[in-house]
PDB file of all heavy atoms in Angstrom:
ATOM      1  N   LYS A 114      12.289   0.737   7.236  1.00 98.00           N
ATOM      2  CA  LYS A 114      13.172  -0.160   8.006  1.00 98.00           C
ATOM      3  C   LYS A 114      13.285   0.319   9.447  1.00 98.00           C
ATOM      4  O   LYS A 114      13.196  -0.473  10.387  1.00 98.00           O
ATOM      5  CB  LYS A 114      14.558  -0.201   7.344  1.00 98.00           C
ATOM      6  CG  LYS A 114      15.608  -0.983   8.133  1.00 98.00           C
ATOM      7  CD  LYS A 114      16.966  -0.898   7.426  1.00 98.00           C
ATOM      8  CE  LYS A 114      18.112  -1.100   8.388  1.00 98.00           C
ATOM      9  NZ  LYS A 114      18.559  -2.455   8.554  1.00 98.00           N
ATOM     10  N   ASN A 115      13.463   1.615   9.626  1.00 97.00           N
ATOM     11  CA  ASN A 115      13.569   2.180  10.978  1.00 97.00           C
ATOM     12  C   ASN A 115      12.315   1.833  11.794  1.00 97.00           C
ATOM     13  O   ASN A 115      12.402   1.443  12.962  1.00 97.00           O
ATOM     14  CB  ASN A 115      13.756   3.692  10.865  1.00 97.00           C
ATOM     15  CG  ASN A 115      13.738   4.360  12.223  1.00 97.00           C
ATOM     16  OD1 ASN A 115      14.503   3.991  13.111  1.00 97.00           O
ATOM     17  ND2 ASN A 115      12.859   5.331  12.412  1.00 97.00           N
ATOM     18  N   ALA A 116      11.140   1.953  11.152  1.00 98.00           N
ATOM     19  CA  ALA A 116       9.889   1.628  11.845  1.00 98.00           C
ATOM     20  C   ALA A 116       9.870   0.150  12.242  1.00 98.00           C
ATOM     21  O   ALA A 116       9.517  -0.202  13.374  1.00 98.00           O
ATOM     22  CB  ALA A 116       8.697   1.962  10.952  1.00 98.00           C
ATOM     23  N   LEU A 117      10.260  -0.721  11.316  1.00 98.00           N
ATOM     24  CA  LEU A 117      10.227  -2.163  11.601  1.00 98.00           C
ATOM     25  C   LEU A 117      11.229  -2.542  12.686  1.00 98.00           C
ATOM     26  O   LEU A 117      10.927  -3.365  13.562  1.00 98.00           O
ATOM     27  CB  LEU A 117      10.508  -2.955  10.315  1.00 98.00           C
ATOM     28  CG  LEU A 117       9.437  -2.874   9.224  1.00 98.00           C
ATOM     29  CD1 LEU A 117       9.920  -3.567   7.952  1.00 98.00           C
ATOM     30  CD2 LEU A 117       8.121  -3.487   9.699  1.00 98.00           C
ATOM     31  N   VAL A 118      12.402  -1.950  12.638  1.00 98.00           N
ATOM     32  CA  VAL A 118      13.428  -2.272  13.652  1.00 98.00           C
ATOM     33  C   VAL A 118      12.939  -1.846  15.032  1.00 98.00           C
ATOM     34  O   VAL A 118      13.017  -2.606  16.002  1.00 98.00           O
ATOM     35  CB  VAL A 118      14.769  -1.568  13.294  1.00 98.00           C
ATOM     36  CG1 VAL A 118      15.742  -1.647  14.460  1.00 98.00           C
ATOM     37  CG2 VAL A 118      15.383  -2.199  12.053  1.00 98.00           C
ATOM     38  N   ARG A 119      12.385  -0.633  15.116  1.00 97.00           N
ATOM     39  CA  ARG A 119      11.930  -0.149  16.428  1.00 97.00           C
ATOM     40  C   ARG A 119      10.728  -0.946  16.944  1.00 97.00           C
ATOM     41  O   ARG A 119      10.516  -1.063  18.152  1.00 97.00           O
ATOM     42  CB  ARG A 119      11.577   1.338  16.333  1.00 97.00           C
ATOM     43  CG  ARG A 119      12.823   2.216  16.169  1.00 97.00           C
ATOM     44  CD  ARG A 119      12.471   3.672  16.107  1.00 97.00           C
ATOM     45  NE  ARG A 119      11.745   4.126  17.272  1.00 97.00           N
ATOM     46  CZ  ARG A 119      11.043   5.253  17.322  1.00 97.00           C
ATOM     47  NH1 ARG A 119      10.993   6.036  16.264  1.00 97.00           N
ATOM     48  NH2 ARG A 119      10.409   5.598  18.413  1.00 97.00           N
ATOM     49  N   ALA A 120       9.941  -1.483  16.016  1.00 98.00           N
ATOM     50  CA  ALA A 120       8.719  -2.201  16.417  1.00 98.00           C
ATOM     51  C   ALA A 120       8.968  -3.677  16.709  1.00 98.00           C
ATOM     52  O   ALA A 120       8.077  -4.362  17.208  1.00 98.00           O
ATOM     53  CB  ALA A 120       7.668  -2.075  15.314  1.00 98.00           C
ATOM     54  N   ALA A 121      10.177  -4.170  16.382  1.00 96.00           N
ATOM     55  CA  ALA A 121      10.447  -5.600  16.557  1.00 96.00           C
ATOM     56  C   ALA A 121      10.247  -5.984  18.020  1.00 96.00           C
ATOM     57  O   ALA A 121      10.807  -5.351  18.920  1.00 96.00           O
ATOM     58  CB  ALA A 121      11.875  -5.917  16.117  1.00 96.00           C
ATOM     59  N   ASP A 122       9.435  -6.988  18.231  1.00 85.00           N
ATOM     60  CA  ASP A 122       9.150  -7.520  19.571  1.00 85.00           C
ATOM     61  C   ASP A 122       8.473  -6.511  20.498  1.00 85.00           C
ATOM     62  O   ASP A 122       8.324  -6.778  21.693  1.00 85.00           O
ATOM     63  CB  ASP A 122      10.432  -8.064  20.241  1.00 85.00           C
ATOM     64  CG  ASP A 122      11.059  -9.165  19.397  1.00 85.00           C
ATOM     65  OD1 ASP A 122      10.294 -10.006  18.875  1.00 85.00           O
ATOM     66  OD2 ASP A 122      12.285  -9.166  19.230  1.00 85.00           O
ATOM     67  N   PHE A 123       8.073  -5.335  19.973  1.00 94.00           N
ATOM     68  CA  PHE A 123       7.337  -4.378  20.816  1.00 94.00           C
ATOM     69  C   PHE A 123       5.840  -4.709  20.671  1.00 94.00           C
ATOM     70  O   PHE A 123       5.334  -4.847  19.559  1.00 94.00           O
ATOM     71  CB  PHE A 123       7.621  -2.938  20.358  1.00 94.00           C
ATOM     72  CG  PHE A 123       7.133  -1.905  21.339  1.00 94.00           C
ATOM     73  CD1 PHE A 123       7.794  -1.715  22.551  1.00 94.00           C
ATOM     74  CD2 PHE A 123       6.002  -1.150  21.078  1.00 94.00           C
ATOM     75  CE1 PHE A 123       7.333  -0.780  23.462  1.00 94.00           C
ATOM     76  CE2 PHE A 123       5.545  -0.214  21.982  1.00 94.00           C
ATOM     77  CZ  PHE A 123       6.209  -0.031  23.180  1.00 94.00           C
ATOM     78  N   PRO A 124       5.115  -4.831  21.779  1.00 94.00           N
ATOM     79  CA  PRO A 124       3.773  -5.409  21.701  1.00 94.00           C
ATOM     80  C   PRO A 124       2.666  -4.462  21.252  1.00 94.00           C
ATOM     81  O   PRO A 124       1.539  -4.905  21.043  1.00 94.00           O
ATOM     82  CB  PRO A 124       3.513  -5.865  23.148  1.00 94.00           C
ATOM     83  CG  PRO A 124       4.370  -4.974  23.990  1.00 94.00           C
ATOM     84  CD  PRO A 124       5.563  -4.618  23.159  1.00 94.00           C
ATOM     85  N   ARG A 125       2.942  -3.154  21.145  1.00 97.00           N
ATOM     86  CA  ARG A 125       1.854  -2.220  20.811  1.00 97.00           C
ATOM     87  C   ARG A 125       2.216  -1.350  19.608  1.00 97.00           C
ATOM     88  O   ARG A 125       3.382  -1.151  19.301  1.00 97.00           O
ATOM     89  CB  ARG A 125       1.566  -1.292  21.999  1.00 97.00           C
ATOM     90  CG  ARG A 125       0.850  -1.983  23.141  1.00 97.00           C
ATOM     91  CD  ARG A 125       0.466  -0.981  24.218  1.00 97.00           C
ATOM     92  NE  ARG A 125       1.601  -0.196  24.699  1.00 97.00           N
ATOM     93  CZ  ARG A 125       2.529  -0.652  25.541  1.00 97.00           C
ATOM     94  NH1 ARG A 125       2.462  -1.898  25.983  1.00 97.00           N
ATOM     95  NH2 ARG A 125       3.523   0.120  25.936  1.00 97.00           N
ATOM     96  N   GLU A 126       1.147  -0.787  18.999  1.00 97.00           N
ATOM     97  CA  GLU A 126       1.346   0.128  17.878  1.00 97.00           C
ATOM     98  C   GLU A 126       1.832   1.482  18.393  1.00 97.00           C
ATOM     99  O   GLU A 126       1.418   1.917  19.461  1.00 97.00           O
ATOM    100  CB  GLU A 126      -0.001   0.280  17.157  1.00 97.00           C
ATOM    101  CG  GLU A 126       0.087   1.026  15.854  1.00 97.00           C
ATOM    102  CD  GLU A 126      -1.272   1.094  15.165  1.00 97.00           C
ATOM    103  OE1 GLU A 126      -1.911   0.035  14.974  1.00 97.00           O
ATOM    104  OE2 GLU A 126      -1.680   2.216  14.845  1.00 97.00           O
ATOM    105  N   PHE A 127       2.708   2.150  17.652  1.00 98.00           N
ATOM    106  CA  PHE A 127       3.157   3.489  18.035  1.00 98.00           C
ATOM    107  C   PHE A 127       3.546   4.258  16.777  1.00 98.00           C
ATOM    108  O   PHE A 127       3.686   3.681  15.698  1.00 98.00           O
ATOM    109  CB  PHE A 127       4.341   3.425  19.018  1.00 98.00           C
ATOM    110  CG  PHE A 127       5.581   2.802  18.431  1.00 98.00           C
ATOM    111  CD1 PHE A 127       6.598   3.592  17.907  1.00 98.00           C
ATOM    112  CD2 PHE A 127       5.731   1.421  18.395  1.00 98.00           C
ATOM    113  CE1 PHE A 127       7.741   3.022  17.357  1.00 98.00           C
ATOM    114  CE2 PHE A 127       6.881   0.831  17.846  1.00 98.00           C
ATOM    115  CZ  PHE A 127       7.879   1.640  17.330  1.00 98.00           C
ATOM    116  N   GLU A 128       3.709   5.590  16.938  1.00 98.00           N
ATOM    117  CA  GLU A 128       4.105   6.435  15.807  1.00 98.00           C
ATOM    118  C   GLU A 128       5.628   6.517  15.788  1.00 98.00           C
ATOM    119  O   GLU A 128       6.227   7.084  16.701  1.00 98.00           O
ATOM    120  CB  GLU A 128       3.479   7.824  15.933  1.00 98.00           C
ATOM    121  CG  GLU A 128       3.621   8.648  14.662  1.00 98.00           C
ATOM    122  CD  GLU A 128       2.804   9.930  14.687  1.00 98.00           C
ATOM    123  OE1 GLU A 128       3.050  10.768  15.593  1.00 98.00           O
ATOM    124  OE2 GLU A 128       1.955  10.110  13.813  1.00 98.00           O
TER     125      GLU A 128
END
Side-chain angles (χ1 to χ4, degrees):
K114 174 183 155 91
N115 174 55
L117 293 173
V118 168
R119 289 181 58 197
D122 301 318
F123 192 72
R125 287 186 306 283
E126 189 178 307
F127 64 97
E128 192 170 60

